[in-house]
Amino acid sequence: MTHKQSPGRRNFIANSVKGSIALGIGMNATGALLTSCSPAMHVGASMGNTGFDQQPLPYKYDALETMIDTKTMEIHYSKHASAYSKNVKEAAQAEGVNMNEPLENVLAKISKYSAKMRNNGGGHYNHEMFWQCMRPMQTGNAPMGNLQSAIIKAFGSFEDFKKQFADAGKNRFGSGWAWLYTDKNNSLKIGSTPNQDNPLMNISDLKGFPVLGLDVWEHAYYLKYQNKRADYIENWWKVVNWDYVWKRYYSFYNIPA
Ligand SMILES: [Fe+2]
């Protein structure tokens, strides 16, 4: 997948996406906007949007053994994450949200809605992304291509990036998420949000587009790792789906492969 594109056009596209996010336009609209710029692009529209229903897990519960154990995956997906989907739909119905619209639209203006919508809308979005961010363990698992270059440029090296990201997860007091995201200046950043917040939310200290998220709630690791969150994070790197992360990054920037 290669194609040339002028810096000016890339900047226009990036700025269009930034503007869309700033205006609270969901990725559906963003994707349509970008697609209209060039039919050859593989951008936001190809990534799809997040709906309100829980999607099937893209692998079996035991697929991430032994980094993440089968029982944790089963409970995490079928109980915790399932409840977020159920509850965000209840909130949407009660608060007059059109569930045919992308969830991203709600998150962008989450301050207008209830705590139930914030907690469960974030929880549903974050987990739908989290499942996709993982895959069965691979030897030498690492980002490739321009995502690798961008990470090295932003953080010095892949190892430095992993340390900073892991620190964001380890230092999150209580429950929350560690993120790799792109900010309003199109820069890759690392950060953490509490509870089920994420960088798409207008109430978040972090603002941007999440490309990789790590769940550091105890329900994500306690059965296997107990209080050793650092060990969970260290092993989690082996199951990160860098192909999916690359697609999310690519969908935002439309960077040639
Ligand atoms: Fe979780």
Side-chain angles (χ1 to χ4, degrees):
M1 190 187 303
T2 58
H3 57 269
K4 299 291 184 184
Q5 188 176 71
S6 71
R9 187 173 199 180
R10 284 176 54 186
N11 288 339
F12 166 75
I13 293 166
N15 288 332
S16 298
V17 176
K18 283 192 300 182
S20 298
I21 289 175
L23 292 169
I25 298 173
M27 289 306 291
N28 190 29
T30 306
L33 170 65
L34 294 174
T35 303
S36 71
C37 295
S38 167
M41 294 175 189
H42 296 267
V43 289
S46 65
M47 288 299 299
N49 300 294
T50 303
F52 290 73
D53 291 326
Q54 187 180 38
Q55 299 302 305
L57 194 65
Y59 34 74
K60 294 182 178 178
Y61 291 137
D62 64 358
L64 307 181
E65 290 275 9
T66 57
M67 304 303 108
I68 300 179
D69 64 284
T70 305
K71 195 67 176 175
T72 294
M73 285 300 300
E74 180 179 358
I75 295 172
H76 200 176
Y77 176 83
S78 69
K79 305 296 183 187
H80 294 283
S82 177
Y84 295 128
S85 176
K86 172 180 174 289
N87 291 334
V88 72
K89 286 189 282 190
E90 284 182 2
Q93 188 163 28
E95 297 173 47
V97 168
N98 179 359
M99 283 183 267
N100 290 319
E101 291 187 7
L103 179 57
E104 286 86 344
N105 288 3
V106 174
L107 300 180
K109 49 188 177 184
I110 198 67
S111 60
K112 295 175 56 177
Y113 298 102
S114 66
K116 181 174 181 176
M117 187 81 83
R118 174 177 172 175
N119 292 333
N120 291 282
H124 176 58
Y125 180 91
N126 295 347
H127 286 85
E128 289 289 290
M129 174 180 172
F130 184 55
W131 311 132
Q132 299 287 336
C133 282
M134 298 186 289
R135 64 184 173 192
M137 183 172 61
Q138 296 195 359
T139 302
N141 197 29
M144 303 297 289
N146 45 23
L147 177 59
Q148 180 189 59
S149 303
I151 286 174
I152 291 172
K153 182 178 179 183
F155 305 108
S157 70
F158 182 51
E159 291 305 314
D160 287 339
F161 155 73
K162 287 203 299 183
K163 182 180 185 310
Q164 291 179 43
F165 188 97
D167 285 346
K170 286 186 282 189
N171 294 332
R172 164 53 52 196
F173 183 77
S175 300
W177 291 75
W179 300 103
L180 174 66
Y181 66 103
T182 50
D183 71 3
K184 63 181 180 181
N185 297 316
N186 300 337
S187 298
L188 280 173
K189 298 289 184 182
I190 289 169
S192 173
T193 53
N195 303 316
Q196 295 294 357
D197 289 353
N198 67 44
L200 293 175
M201 292 180 170
N202 63 344
I203 47 77
S204 175
D205 290 338
L206 314 181
K207 287 191 174 58
F209 180 68
V211 293
L212 173 66
L214 169 61
D215 189 344
V216 295
W217 283 58
E218 284 188 344
H219 69 222
Y221 63 86
Y222 200 84
L223 288 181
K224 178 178 174 66
Y225 296 96
Q226 292 81 50
N227 62 321
K228 298 169 186 166
R229 184 187 287 182
D231 290 354
Y232 157 65
I233 296 172
E234 183 62 27
N235 277 342
W236 179 74
W237 291 117
K238 299 171 186 172
V239 295
V240 171
N241 186 344
W242 287 109
D243 292 335
Y244 177 71
V245 177
W246 184 90
K247 287 176 185 174
R248 291 187 69 91
Y249 180 70
Y250 184 71
S251 75
F252 190 86
Y253 281 104
N254 188 39
I255 293 176

